[in-house]
Amino acid sequence: MKENGEIRIGFYICHCGVNIASVIDVERIAAYAATLPGVVVSRHYKYMCSDPGQELLGSDIREHKLNRIVVAACSPLLHEHTFRKATENAGLNPYFMHMVNIREHGSWVHEDKELATGKAQDMIRAAIRRVRFHEPLEKKRVPVLQDVLVIGGGIAGIHASLTLANAGKHVILVEREPTIGGHMAQFDKTFPTLDCAACILTPKMTSVKDHPNITLWSYSEVVKIDGSVGNYTVTVKRKPRYVNEELCVGCMECIEACIYKEGKWPDEFNVGLSKRKPIYIPFPQAVPPVPVIDPEHCVHVKTGKCRDTCVAICGDRNAIDFTQKETLTDIKVGAIVVATGFDIFDATQIPYYGYGKYRNVYTALEAERLINASGPTGGELLLPDGHKPESIAIVHCVGSRDVHYNRWCSRVCCMYSLKLAHLIKERTGAEIYNFYIDMRAPGKSMEEFYNRVSEEGVHLIRGRVADITPQALPEGSDQGGYLGKLVVQAEDTLIGRVRKIPVDMVILAVGLVPQKDAEEVRRMLNISCSTGGFFLERHPKLAPVNTFTDGIFLAGACQGPKDIPDSVAQAGAAAAEALALIDAGSVEIEPNTAYIIEEDCSGCKSCIPLCPYTAISFDEAKKKAVINEALCKGCGTCVAACPSGSIRQHLFEDEEIFSEIDGLLTYA
Amino acid sequence: MLATEEAVEQMWGVTLDKLYDSEEGRRILSCIQCGTCVGTCPHGEYMDYPPRRIITMLKAGLIDEVLASDSMVMCVNCYACQTKCPRNIRLTEILLPIVKEQSLLQLETMPAELQKAIENTFRYGNYMGESARKRTQWTKTSKIPVRILSEDPRPVDALWLVESDLSYHPRGQDVARATVQIFDAIGADFAILGNEERSAGDCGRLSWEPGLSETLIDYTLSILKKYTYNRIIVSDPHALDALNFRYPMFGFSDTVEATVSFVHRHLDMLRPRLTKTLKYRVTYHDSCCLGRHNKLYDEPRELLLAIPGIELREMVHTRENSICCGGGGGGMWLDTYYKAKGMERLSDRRLREALATGADVLAIACPYELSRFEDAVKVAGAENRIVVRDIMELLVESFGDN
């Protein structure tokens, strides 16, 4: 490759305020760069990304007839676009600009100024050598498919679907459970305004069902994703519910008619606090309002020998369909919104809280069901022995803020604990003791709600619960099923005394954790995870709903614990990002794609199976490999693998990489 | 949590003014003042300055007030606070021992029993003040001959540190003889140090007296150096703790195993001998050092369950949430002091939990507990309801051919 005539390089180093300049000696670097071959202009500037900074670059290009630019600043992730644009505006091909990251890779991670400056010097020398070989490149555009996939039908998925559908886009909403609604459908009232969760959620669920632009696939799972931004092929597994959704009118007579007269298996929606039949509907307002048959327990599915009372009662409608099979369906979409939600912390992991050992220790989610009118007790909070509790302890931070379990604050527990305190006190008159470490009530109207609950006379004790034990020692070995009073022991840190408070019931404010299969989903989507296992956003502040994979957006608690208002806000943002992408109609693809030097290709086909994006095919007539630039993501796998060296890559040409390495290894 | 090499390195020689020099020490600064340590401390309600307050006082520069109080005299080194701390602050391992040592120095009068125990340990190598020459007397009545290294220094697979309680205490000697029978049954090649042995310098008691602890560690290391062995077996969990967590700071790196885990590892060889059915309802008390600090919860239980006929019942506080018998950290010699403060003996409290299970045997694996719980049984007048037995004793009782 040639150097394309006389090389005139402009070098710019950014102070980034004090972010870079406080560690790296920018003046010295600018002076050093000026001595390197080909460098015509070398400057340092306080904020290169500012308008004057960009203008400086542009005027230098025009004035000094620069044909190569090197900017040493922050991560290209943040400002590569800015400087390419500035280069282009000055009449130079934007790919003649190269960025060196001396902030994230330099000043932010080093303390020794001398060494950090030395490292930056090496890095810019490498870039100045590399940029000589840059060539003018053109971005390409590929069309974007107009349908959007939303994964998960909780409040975030519902809101994102409705927003997109209202904008006229066709949405395929895939939900794993037999109904949409997610965790929110299980809650009683919602903090801080105390509106009933079902009252505000079910209208949105119905809108999903009725929306002409939404295809709802419940009881289905995404199992495979291929392609890239604008052009994803998604495989969805649709589990048989053995009830035809088109034919069923939701009369529920089949459930009534089932040969099992009573529920026999733990009801998932009521977190196991009640029993359901093999044919059931999760809750009355479920969407779709279609029963589902549990193949594990249905006598017909298991043995084929059943009186089929459900089929009989359904009669001519013929909605019960035992011939349904699991199917795999491929769909094509331009963008994906991930709204897979959260799981709750498994409280049995903390042995000293007695969950699973004492029957009157509940999780907050169980408490939500117990006080809910559609719950197992019809909304009456009762102990397992049928008595009304007169005293209740609510334990905050269960599984959260603890290095042994989860380090993070789960963010919603303080507020939902106060809400439960309020609701339970209102309905039972019981004495309520909230044990908290720090009361966290940020957000609109939250502190006011905290104040309100305090004034209602809920006992707020500042201390983390250290032990929960039976008040009277249970006789015999088996404490499972112990139902007497439990003593909750904690230091009241504000009075500096250990308090042992006997209560009838304990509610554990369990934290939020990633879904059990979050890791598999993450891999399937090719997105990243934060340390705790929640999905990672592209930037914590500036790209909170984007991921590192273009065209895939995050909504709701799959990205981290959050409450309903925040989940909805984020879902709206994710929908807007998806809209911005697909409404543009096409997407620019970076020109850093691989290309084949045809005369050198031996036609060995070794590159074809290696391509993760199925971008390489084989031209049988020419007996050569062919790369589809629209599909190539520039990962470089084929370039490295080609035995004849006939595959090369724009922006990563051998000359560019080797001269960069030379630059790094040539000590000044 | 077993100490890692770095942790041991960092804990070495820490003093109050160097507390924050190590990563382990700096973790104290992450305290969120949640009070879990105080709420779980078996004596927390009696302390003016329980662990949480020690940390705030330390941060506020008021640690002298803490050192002038007797709060840390009540610490029984049970690791409960450290185990539950949501910030994993090494309270029992780092902070509390420093405070303990300093506050003991400022105590107006040293509790007499503790004073005597420390003196005896210094003079005789055992807290009872028994003569070193009597250390091997128990072996005379052992059914199986016991090799003593000072007499027969050939290399041996397992060097068994008997420790003082099993050597001198009459009930301890029962356990020692039972342990020999178990070792014999699993075909162990073992030997003891004999009269050369002195207290290993157990971690809890000697956090009062680091100087004495160091002397004993130096001594023990010099004796160990004389012999060739593959592993050290320890019956006293406090000594196990010392070997696992203190000795490495002195360059010690031998393989150390608790008797229960050593026997558990050879359970298949022992099983054929366990033929006599023992129709006992047994409850097992997790000792602090064996359980919380060395994470040996399942091994002792599996040994018990290997005995035909045994029904295992768990107490309200079990495994990592077990309650100290009150003997650790010097508590063994502070009963009178605690009583004067109106504090209930922890062994009495724990016995009530054992009795509530309906068990007729309280199984233990720590020699302190023999004397503490047998005392508690007498105090409670429960001699007809429950007996205290070491796991080794129960295993031997199940030998059909005994």
Side-chain angles (χ1 to χ4, degrees):
Chain A
M1 189 179 287
K2 294 236 174 68
E3 288 184 7
N4 304 320
E6 193 208 351
I7 298 297
R8 297 178 64 80
I9 303 171
F11 172 76
Y12 302 87
I13 182 164
C14 177
H15 298 211
C16 194
V18 292
N19 276 305
I20 292 171
S22 66
V23 178
I24 291 168
D25 186 341
V26 290
E27 288 179 33
R28 203 165 95 203
I29 300 251
Y32 169 73
T35 66
L36 295 175
V39 176
V40 177
V41 176
S42 179
R43 300 187 195 277
H44 59 91
Y45 192 74
K46 191 143 192 179
Y47 290 106
M48 275 308 292
C49 60
S50 65
D51 272 357
Q54 294 179 50
E55 188 39 48
L56 178 69
L57 200 150
S59 62
D60 278 354
I61 291 175
R62 288 185 291 265
E63 201 175 310
H64 298 280
K65 305 204 176 347
L66 301 178
N67 54 19
R68 298 290 188 278
I69 302 294
V70 172
V71 181
C74 55
S75 167
L77 194 68
L78 296 166
H79 278 306
E80 190 173 58
H81 180 76
T82 311
F83 297 123
R84 277 188 181 159
K85 200 83 200 151
T87 306
E88 192 173 19
N89 289 345
L92 197 61
N93 183 285
Y95 293 91
F96 282 132
M97 192 289 302
H98 187 72
M99 247 187 121
V100 189
N101 183 359
I102 53 162
R103 193 179 70 177
E104 283 84 343
H105 291 178
S107 62
W108 276 0
V109 289
H110 298 302
E111 283 171 1
D112 187 307
K113 294 181 181 180
E114 200 49 40
L115 290 174
T117 304
K119 176 177 170 182
Q121 200 159 297
D122 294 343
M123 288 164 75
I124 62 119
R125 187 173 57 240
I128 285 168
R129 290 217 183 182
R130 161 195 239 277
V131 81
R132 280 178 177 272
F133 296 96
H134 277 217
E135 294 198 312
L137 298 168
E138 293 303 326
K139 277 190 178 172
K140 296 201 170 51
R141 300 197 76 87
V142 291
V144 171
L145 296 173
Q146 293 297 294
D147 289 1
V148 181
L149 167 71
V150 176
I151 310 174
I155 181 59
I158 288 173
H159 187 77
S161 300
L162 287 172
T163 308
L164 286 157
N166 288 342
K169 302 298 164 195
H170 178 226
V171 176
I172 299 126
L173 172 59
V174 175
E175 165 59 49
R176 173 154 64 183
E177 302 299 328
T179 176
I180 57 170
H183 280 105
M184 185 176 170
Q186 292 175 291
F187 301 157
D188 187 60
K189 289 186 175 177
T190 54
F191 65 79
T193 42
L194 296 178
D195 21 26
C196 128
C199 309
I200 57 175
L201 176 66
T202 50
K204 294 188 78 125
M205 291 166 62
T206 311
S207 303
V208 167
K209 178 175 61 118
D210 296 338
H211 208 296
N213 288 340
I214 298 179
T215 303
L216 169 60
W217 284 354
S218 62
Y219 215 41
S220 305
E221 280 175 60
V222 174
V223 293
K224 192 163 167 251
I225 294 180
D226 280 326
S228 57
V229 55
N231 194 354
Y232 285 108
T233 304
V234 180
T235 309
V236 182
K237 178 173 88 185
R238 306 208 57 199
K239 296 178 276 189
R241 72 196 288 150
Y242 302 111
V243 179
N244 185 312
E245 282 182 44
E246 259 78 74
L247 300 176
C248 174
V249 292
C251 70
M252 311 297 158
E253 282 178 29
C254 50
I255 300 175
E256 199 55 42
C258 177
I259 55 161
Y260 288 100
K261 289 294 150 224
E262 296 290 330
K264 212 175 156 202
W265 293 280
D267 179 337
E268 293 84 354
F269 188 75
N270 281 330
V271 272
L273 294 170
S274 63
K275 302 275 200 285
R276 60 157 173 80
K277 298 179 178 184
I279 184 165
Y280 66 101
I281 184 156
F283 60 104
Q285 304 98 320
V287 169
V290 177
V292 57
I293 290 173
D294 163 13
E296 297 276 301
H297 300 112
C298 168
V299 175
H300 182 109
V301 179
K302 264 171 48 189
T303 66
K305 291 175 198 148
C306 179
R307 286 188 282 121
D308 287 349
T309 42
C310 53
V311 179
I313 198 98
C314 194
D316 293 344
R317 283 190 293 265
N318 280 320
I320 310 276
D321 178 4
F322 287 112
T323 66
Q324 279 187 359
K325 294 268 176 300
E326 182 178 294
T327 59
L328 293 176
T329 311
D330 279 356
I331 52 172
K332 288 190 161 289
V333 295
I336 299 172
V337 175
V338 184
T340 50
F342 64 94
D343 207 340
I344 58 167
F345 172 74
D346 170 17
T348 60
Q349 285 187 48
I350 307 184
Y352 49 92
Y353 285 168
Y355 183 70
K357 187 166 162 187
Y358 308 123
R359 281 170 64 203
N360 35 358
V361 178
Y362 292 92
T363 65
L365 189 57
E366 289 169 337
E368 295 278 355
R369 294 315 300 150
L370 285 174
I371 58 170
N372 189 276
S374 71
T377 53
E380 210 179 341
L381 186 67
L382 297 174
L383 292 165
D385 63 359
H387 281 88
K388 245 174 133 174
E390 288 171 1
S391 51
I392 296 167
I394 301 179
V395 182
H396 290 222
C397 296
V398 175
S400 307
R401 305 186 66 194
D402 188 329
V403 296
H404 303 291
Y405 309 104
N406 300 313
R407 285 173 179 267
W408 56 85
C409 163
S410 290
R411 225 178 113 177
V412 294
C413 320
C414 280
M415 297 316 296
Y416 81 55
S417 295
L418 290 174
K419 174 200 74 179
L420 284 172
H422 162 84
L423 293 175
I424 294 171
K425 193 168 176 67
E426 181 184 67
R427 293 181 199 177
T428 65
E431 289 300 320
I432 315 279
Y433 303 88
N434 279 51
F435 292 86
Y436 68 98
I437 307 175
D438 296 297
M439 193 64 82
R440 294 187 169 170
K444 196 170 180 178
S445 305
M446 301 296 184
E447 182 69 15
E448 294 89 326
F449 183 66
Y450 171 27
N451 190 66
R452 168 183 174 177
V453 176
S454 307
E455 283 179 3
E456 285 170 359
V458 169
H459 305 279
L460 301 169
I461 299 173
R462 194 201 171 278
R464 182 174 172 275
V465 171
D467 204 8
I468 294 174
T469 44
Q471 186 176 36
L473 289 171
E475 286 299 321
S477 66
D478 186 11
Q479 297 142 34
Y482 176 82
L483 261 176
K485 271 189 190 296
L486 294 166
V487 178
V488 177
Q489 186 168 323
E491 189 201 10
D492 186 328
T493 59
L494 298 179
I495 56 173
R497 213 169 276 176
V498 176
R499 295 182 69 179
K500 301 171 186 175
I501 297 176
V503 293
D504 296 318
M505 182 187 239
V506 172
I507 296 171
L508 303 178
V510 285
L512 272 52
V513 299
Q515 289 273 13
K516 284 181 196 70
D517 57 354
E519 177 56 22
E520 291 145 52
V521 172
R522 181 194 75 74
R523 255 184 247 174
M524 181 176 71
L525 291 162
N526 192 26
I527 58 177
S528 309
C529 272
S530 328
T531 41
F534 291 103
F535 298 147
L536 183 66
E537 64 284 349
R538 191 177 196 125
H539 190 281
K541 288 141 198 132
L542 302 177
V545 302
N546 301 66
T547 65
F548 285 98
T549 304
D550 289 337
I552 299 187
F553 307 99
L554 302 174
C558 66
Q559 179 259 350
K562 56 180 66 65
D563 58 13
I564 295 166
D566 285 3
S567 293
V568 171
Q570 204 190 21
E577 292 279 355
L579 274 177
L581 168 70
I582 57 179
D583 265 356
S586 64
V587 61
E588 272 189 342
I589 46 173
E590 281 295 309
N592 61 338
T593 48
Y595 63 95
I596 292 180
I597 313 289
E598 244 183 38
E599 52 271 33
D600 295 343
C601 175
S602 66
C604 72
K605 299 188 192 173
S606 51
C607 55
I608 295 170
L610 291 174
C611 178
Y613 305 96
T614 54
I616 313 181
S617 55
F618 192 68
D619 184 331
E620 288 294 345
K622 290 189 189 163
K623 302 283 178 213
K624 305 278 182 194
V626 182
I627 293 174
N628 179 344
E629 286 199 2
L631 294 178
C632 174
K633 301 295 285 177
C635 71
T637 309
C638 58
V639 184
C642 177
S644 60
S646 63
I647 310 185
R648 305 185 56 127
Q649 188 177 346
H650 297 302
L651 270 186
F652 293 93
E653 300 285 359
D654 289 353
E655 293 83 352
E656 290 167 355
I657 295 172
F658 288 138
S659 53
E660 196 169 9
I661 295 171
D662 281 347
L664 272 179
L665 299 182
T666 309
Y667 294 104
Chain B
M1 193 158 303
L2 294 179
T4 61
E5 298 250 327
E6 298 99 287
V8 163
E9 197 71 25
Q10 297 193 342
M11 280 151 55
W12 163 240
V14 170
T15 50
L16 270 180
D17 51 321
K18 288 187 183 153
L19 202 51
Y20 300 144
D21 289 358
S22 73
E23 194 188 315
E24 298 286 332
R26 271 195 300 278
R27 215 177 292 153
I28 292 167
L29 297 169
S30 73
C31 173
I32 51 172
Q33 293 287 304
C34 68
T36 307
C37 46
V38 190
T40 198
C41 174
H43 286 155
E45 56 195 301
Y46 301 105
M47 296 175 179
D48 292 331
Y49 296 102
R52 177 189 64 81
R53 288 200 74 197
I54 294 180
I55 293 180
T56 16
M57 294 295 277
L58 182 69
K59 286 186 185 170
L62 298 169
I63 193 70
D64 288 345
E65 283 178 42
V66 177
L67 301 179
S69 85
D70 74 339
S71 293
M72 273 303 105
V73 181
M74 300 171 194
C75 168
V76 285
N77 260 70
C78 72
Y79 299 100
C81 53
Q82 172 169 317
T83 305
K84 288 185 187 173
C85 172
R87 288 295 186 262
N88 198 16
I89 296 171
R90 293 182 178 267
L91 291 161
T92 323
E93 283 172 354
I94 302 182
L95 180 61
L96 303 186
I98 304 175
V99 177
K100 251 178 146 169
E101 186 194 339
Q102 297 289 320
S103 34
L104 198 71
L105 289 174
Q106 298 194 27
L107 220 54
E108 268 178 40
T109 42
M110 176 85 167
E113 285 168 86
L114 180 63
Q115 170 99 33
K116 192 79 199 154
I118 291 178
E119 270 174 28
N120 282 341
T121 309
F122 178 66
R123 279 198 199 156
Y124 305 102
N126 66 80
Y127 69 83
M128 298 91 160
E130 296 281 357
S131 156
R133 273 169 301 161
K134 289 193 195 158
R135 207 173 247 277
T136 52
Q137 235 168 21
W138 65 273
T139 59
K140 308 266 189 310
T141 45
S142 169
K143 284 190 179 180
I144 316 283
V146 180
R147 172 142 82 99
I148 298 170
L149 284 175
S150 55
E151 294 160 12
D152 177 358
R154 282 175 299 135
V156 68
D157 176 58
L159 193 163
W160 177 30
L161 281 189
V162 188
E163 261 291 356
S164 306
D165 288 84
L166 261 56
S167 301
Y168 294 113
H169 192 282
R171 283 288 289 118
Q173 293 178 340
D174 292 343
V175 177
R177 285 182 290 260
T179 308
V180 171
Q181 280 183 273
I182 303 288
F183 284 170
D184 179 60
I186 60 177
D189 170 29
F190 74 99
I192 64 172
L193 288 174
N195 294 344
E196 284 180 303
E197 186 181 329
R198 284 187 200 163
S199 165
D202 97 42
C203 65
R205 176 172 13 137
L206 298 171
S207 51
W208 300 112
E209 268 295 332
L212 175 55
S213 173
E214 249 177 72
T215 311
L216 288 167
I217 291 171
D218 281 344
Y219 172 80
T220 303
L221 287 175
S222 71
I223 298 296
L224 290 175
K225 218 176 277 171
K226 300 202 305 193
Y227 304 108
T228 309
Y229 50 87
N230 296 325
R231 69 199 77 249
I232 294 177
I233 308 298
V234 210
S235 290
D236 181 343
H238 305 90
L240 174 75
D241 232 19
L243 290 166
N244 273 344
F245 299 98
R246 295 273 162 135
Y247 277 55
M249 301 178 194
F250 295 79
F252 170 85
S253 60
D254 295 353
T255 307
V256 179
E257 232 177 319
T259 307
V260 281
S261 42
F262 179 64
V263 175
H264 180 263
R265 220 154 41 78
H266 297 92
L267 185 55
D268 285 340
M269 296 168 81
L270 188 62
R271 241 182 255 276
R273 297 285 298 277
L274 306 174
T275 51
K276 195 165 138 198
T277 301
L278 304 183
K279 281 245 155 264
Y280 298 152
R281 281 165 300 188
V282 178
T283 189
Y284 171 69
H285 165 81
D286 289 281
S287 96
C288 307
C289 294
L290 211 53
R292 269 191 289 269
H293 209 208
N294 286 282
K295 302 275 180 267
L296 294 170
Y297 300 116
D298 294 327
E299 290 83 348
R301 287 176 170 80
E302 283 165 19
L303 286 179
L304 287 167
L305 288 170
I307 300 172
I310 288 228
E311 182 200 333
L312 197 58
R313 296 187 165 194
E314 293 292 349
M315 285 182 261
V316 161
H317 289 96
T318 181
R319 298 173 73 96
E320 70 171 70
N321 201 28
S322 171
I323 296 178
C324 180
C325 73
M332 193 81 167
W333 305 280
L334 287 165
D335 281 336
T336 318
Y337 188 82
Y338 293 161
K339 199 174 174 189
K341 299 257 161 193
M343 295 156 67
E344 189 190 19
R345 285 208 312 184
L346 291 176
S347 44
D348 295 343
R349 175 178 165 196
R350 186 64 167 155
L351 181 72
R352 279 203 303 280
E353 293 191 352
L355 288 169
T357 65
D360 31 43
V361 176
L362 170 54
I364 52 120
C366 166
Y368 281 29
E369 288 151 9
L370 264 180
S371 53
R372 295 199 68 78
F373 286 134
E374 288 193 344
D375 270 7
V377 170
K378 281 182 208 136
V379 170
E383 293 96 329
N384 298 326
R385 292 173 63 194
I386 199 161
V387 293
V388 183
R389 291 285 179 272
D390 191 277
I391 292 178
M392 298 302 143
E393 294 183 285
L394 289 168
L395 288 169
V396 169
E397 199 180 332
S398 172
F399 282 9
D401 46 6
N402 205 20

